């Protein structure tokens, strides 16, 4: 290995601190990482995820070390270093290397250089008093669970018996799960392919394969030929749920209402010969649907449009089935996107729930009598799941809630399993409600 090609740690810490600063200013983690120079990106993503999973503790420690907040850029670097210094079984660097390189990053960042001595003093003090300072932060709920206090309170109300396990699951990394395309290869045959390639995996759900470690997706057997797609095991439930009871009909017209990037659209087409309209409000994201379907050698009609503004895109012919993967807080996929908990605000949930309600009501009008609508969110908050559907049923007498999983908890937290025949493994958090429209 040419070690001289590896970027120095101080540069990675500098870039990681900038990612944290960007997230604090409201930018998504994905966008912030996309802006990182390519040679640094993989290392910075790994460090950023580690920091975001420990940021609550780091912020509490910084408050103890320096009650008066330093300038934003300096605070981001200080909290980055403190997060990485918190005791961990898989700490990437030894303490003194990390501190020295953090100071180097401060000195070489013009906006932070004036605070380099201050950051040095804080970090050296932390090393001297670590056990005492860590003990102090145990009394801070956001530090202990590494989530905002409002988020923790909401989970305590929604899931009084499961909130701790939910938070713990959010702080673990989720597995890499694939969906096998049955039009190309059987799951058993694909598991054999993985074994031959030296990749350990287990079957999950009806179509899934959970890998025991991380790999470069493009290097997987048959990936470029469309044999598999990356999709969490819980998300893989959408297509079979919607098609259940409908798949025997010929010429089904299906709407995927918030379709980008197209994973669920593709799964529908892999499982049945249906006509799919994939709709999304964002033109750039619609382009991604095309790219994903092209790799899988599948075809759907795509359209840019706001699903809630039916008259702007609907041709007047009702749909037999509708998939509404509604915009939500993404509180069920925090372990894959650890920035989400720090980006969301308490007021976001009610606003998102209002959007979900608007979409449900609008799309119900384009569903054929006897047709089915599958409402799903990658959320564990009841306001975006169970309560949303209960409110919809109260005002729509033609809707019947069919047996569906309801809230599915991330990791091993599984209070609800209504229909699963095959174990789903270590999946993300989701909510599903399958609604049937009364026949005319």
């Amino acid at each position: 290995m040419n070690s001289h090609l590896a970027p120095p740690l101080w540069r990675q810490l500098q870039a990681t601190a900038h990612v944290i600063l960007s997230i604090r200013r409201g930018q998504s983690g994905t966008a912030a990482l996309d802006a990182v120079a390519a040679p640094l990106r993989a290392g910075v993503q790994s460090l950023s995820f580690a920091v975001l999973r420990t940021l609550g503790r780091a912020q509490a420690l910084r408050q103890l070390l320096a009650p008066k907040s330093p300038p934003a850029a300096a605070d981001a670097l200080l909290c980055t270093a403190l997060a990485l210094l918190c005791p961990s079984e898989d700490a990437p660097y030894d303490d003194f290397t990390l501190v020295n390189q953090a100071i180097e990053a401060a000195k070489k960042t013009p906006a932070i250089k004036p605070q380099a001595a201050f950051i040095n003093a804080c970090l050296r003090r932390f090393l001297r008093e670590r056990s005492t300072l860590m003990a102090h932060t145990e009394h801070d709920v956001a530090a202990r669970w590494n989530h905002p206090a409002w988020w923790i309170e909401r989970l305590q109300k929604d899931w009084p018996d499961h909130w701790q396990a939910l938070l713990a699951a959010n702080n673990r990394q989720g597995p890499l799960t694939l969906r096998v395309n049955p039009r190309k290869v059987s799951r058993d045959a694909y598991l054999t392919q993985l074994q031959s390639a030296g990749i350990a995996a287990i079957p999950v759900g009806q179509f899934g394969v959970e890998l025991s470690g991380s790999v470069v997706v493009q290097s997987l057997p048959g990936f470029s030929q469309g044999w598999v797609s990356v999709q969490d095991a819980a998300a893989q439930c959408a297509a079979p749920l919607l098609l259940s009871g409908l798949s025997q009909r010929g010429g089904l017209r299906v709407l995927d209402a918030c379709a980008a990037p197209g994973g669920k659209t593709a799964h529908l087409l892999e499982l049945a010969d249906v006509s799919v309209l994939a709709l999304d409000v964002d033109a750039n994201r619609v382009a991604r649907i095309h790219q994903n379907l092209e790799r899988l050698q599948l075809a759907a009609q795509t359209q840019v449009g706001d699903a809630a503004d039916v008259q702007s895109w609907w041709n007047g012919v009702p749909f037999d089935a509708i998939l509404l993967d509604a915009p939500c807080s993404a509180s069920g996929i925090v372990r894959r996107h650890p920035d989400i908990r720090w980006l969301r605000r308490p007021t976001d949930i009610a606003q998102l729930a209002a959007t979900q309600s608007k979409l449900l009501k609008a799309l119900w009008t384009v569903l054929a009598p006897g047709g089915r609508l599958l409402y799903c969110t990658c959320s564990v908050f009841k306001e975006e799941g169970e309560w949303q559907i209960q409110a919809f049923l109260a005002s729509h007498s033609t809707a019947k809630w069919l047996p569906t999983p309801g809230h599915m908890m991330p990791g091993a937290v599984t209070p609800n399993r209504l229909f699963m025949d095959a174990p789903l493994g270590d999946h993300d958090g989701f909510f599903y409600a399958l609604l049937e429209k009364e026949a005319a």
Side-chain angles (χ1 to χ4, degrees):
M1 178 180 174
N2 295 322
S3 59
H4 66 280
L5 295 177
L9 179 55
W10 70 263
R11 282 197 66 201
Q12 295 186 63
L13 292 171
Q14 185 184 53
T16 300
H18 188 72
V19 168
I20 301 304
L21 179 62
S22 298
I23 290 168
R24 284 176 161 180
R25 289 174 170 169
Q27 188 176 37
S28 76
T30 300
L33 285 165
D34 283 346
V36 174
L40 287 169
R41 195 172 297 139
V44 170
Q45 176 171 311
S46 179
L47 288 173
S48 298
F49 278 27
V51 171
L52 290 164
R53 290 187 176 114
T54 324
L55 189 58
R57 180 83 67 176
Q59 291 175 158
L61 289 167
R62 199 278 297 154
Q63 182 69 25
L64 290 172
L65 292 163
K68 184 180 178 181
S69 300
D75 189 49
L77 178 60
L78 178 54
C79 286
T80 292
L82 287 169
L84 295 171
L85 286 168
C86 286
S88 168
E89 293 176 2
D90 53 356
Y93 302 100
D94 70 82
D95 294 347
F96 291 100
T97 297
L98 191 62
V99 170
N100 289 336
Q101 291 295 292
I103 303 312
E104 191 72 9
K107 291 177 179 177
K108 292 186 175 180
T109 308
I112 304 177
K113 187 175 180 180
Q115 284 80 43
F118 160 77
I119 292 172
N120 184 38
C122 288
L123 294 178
R124 303 287 177 191
R125 181 187 162 197
F126 174 72
L127 294 184
R128 291 193 306 270
E129 304 175 23
R130 176 156 42 193
S131 59
T132 302
L133 290 166
M134 291 290 290
H136 271 294
T137 60
E138 278 297 307
H139 305 294
D140 183 325
V141 67
R144 186 176 179 188
W145 293 106
N146 287 295
H147 284 70
W150 71 264
W151 187 301
I152 297 167
E153 290 167 9
R154 182 175 283 268
L155 286 184
Q156 287 171 332
K157 290 176 181 176
D158 281 3
W159 303 105
D161 297 328
H162 299 287
W163 67 271
Q164 292 170 308
L166 275 169
L167 293 168
N170 282 352
N171 288 325
R172 295 191 296 268
Q173 185 175 342
L176 176 57
T177 304
L178 309 174
R179 184 189 76 241
V180 179
N181 180 357
R183 291 188 183 266
K184 298 284 187 178
V185 63
S186 72
R187 181 168 62 181
D188 286 348
Y190 193 72
L191 284 165
T192 301
Q193 290 272 353
L194 290 175
Q195 187 177 19
S196 299
I199 301 171
I202 58 171
V204 291
Q206 290 178 273
F207 309 98
V209 170
E210 183 182 301
L211 306 188
S212 62
S214 59
V215 299
V216 177
V217 172
Q218 288 75 14
S219 69
L220 287 165
F223 183 80
S224 60
Q225 290 82 29
W227 291 7
V228 290
S229 300
V230 176
Q231 189 178 43
D232 179 75
Q236 291 181 33
C237 297
L241 268 171
L242 182 60
L243 294 172
S244 63
L246 292 173
S247 56
Q248 302 308 312
R249 301 183 191 176
L252 278 181
R253 296 187 72 252
V254 181
L255 170 67
D256 189 350
C258 301
K264 296 180 181 68
T265 300
H267 199 192
L268 287 164
L269 293 165
E270 288 170 4
L271 296 183
D273 294 321
V274 292
S275 172
V276 178
L277 170 60
L279 184 73
D280 200 272
V281 72
D282 187 316
N284 291 327
R285 285 167 58 80
V286 168
R288 287 191 61 197
I289 300 174
H290 281 289
Q291 293 166 7
N292 286 325
L293 292 179
E294 188 175 6
R295 181 181 64 83
L296 295 163
Q297 296 167 29
L298 299 167
Q301 180 188 352
T302 58
Q303 192 167 338
V304 178
D306 178 358
D309 183 13
V310 168
Q311 299 309 315
S312 68
W313 55 266
W314 187 42
N315 66 1
V317 182
F319 293 93
D320 302 296
I322 297 175
L323 172 59
L324 172 55
D325 186 1
C328 72
S329 65
S331 56
I333 57 171
V334 170
R335 59 190 192 155
R336 300 192 191 279
H337 299 278
D339 56 308
I340 287 169
R341 70 191 97 177
W342 307 115
L343 283 170
R344 290 280 175 250
R345 298 292 178 263
T347 52
D348 291 348
I349 312 306
Q351 291 171 1
L352 287 162
T355 297
Q356 294 151 14
S357 176
K358 184 179 178 182
L359 284 164
L360 263 172
K361 291 172 182 176
L363 293 173
W364 195 250
T365 66
V366 304
L367 181 66
R372 293 181 176 183
L373 183 151
L374 182 65
Y375 170 85
C376 58
T377 60
C378 53
S379 176
V380 295
F381 296 146
K382 289 192 175 182
E383 192 168 348
E384 300 182 286
E386 181 183 331
W387 298 350
Q388 181 72 254
I389 295 302
Q390 288 174 346
F392 179 79
L393 293 172
S395 59
H396 290 76
S397 60
T398 57
K400 178 184 178 183
W401 190 352
L402 300 178
T404 12
H407 283 283
M408 301 165 67
M409 299 295 114
V413 188
T414 53
N416 195 343
R417 268 299 176 278
L418 285 182
F419 86 116
M420 304 301 172
D421 295 324
L424 286 181
D426 186 6
H427 61 78
D428 291 343
F430 254 83
F431 175 82
Y432 284 110
L434 183 61
L435 305 175
E436 186 172 73
K437 194 171 193 177
E438 185 179 274

